[in-house]
Amino acid sequence: MARLKITQTKSGIGGKQNQRDTLRSLGLHKIGQSVVKDDKPEFRGMANTVAHLVKVEEVD
């Protein structure tokens, strides 16, 4: 199964509450921090919600 590497590139400060909550749900707390998640629709949707704050890459 493919996996997604999600890296926070910008701060959630000043953003909407649901965007800040989404960053926390993904496990992101600091700029530059990365997490690796399974490539599932749930995580794709979360990444799309905060697409302007994160960078998403596919990894094996």
Side-chain angles (χ1 to χ4, degrees):
M1 174 178 248
R3 300 186 42 95
L4 298 175
K5 179 180 179 185
I6 304 171
T7 305
Q8 185 174 349
T9 57
K10 293 186 179 178
S11 173
I13 295 174
K16 295 181 180 178
Q17 184 65 43
N18 70 319
Q19 293 171 350
R20 293 194 305 265
D21 292 342
T22 300
L23 286 173
R24 295 296 172 251
S25 296
L26 287 169
L28 297 170
H29 302 283
K30 296 180 181 179
I31 295 174
Q33 183 179 7
S34 297
V35 293
V36 177
K37 301 286 186 181
D38 290 332
D39 189 1
K40 294 183 178 179
E42 299 85 20
F43 296 122
R44 287 266 180 187
M46 285 187 208
N48 285 338
T49 300
V50 291
H52 59 291
L53 303 175
V54 299
K55 180 174 75 170
V56 180
E57 304 171 62
E58 289 188 18
V59 295
D60 292 327

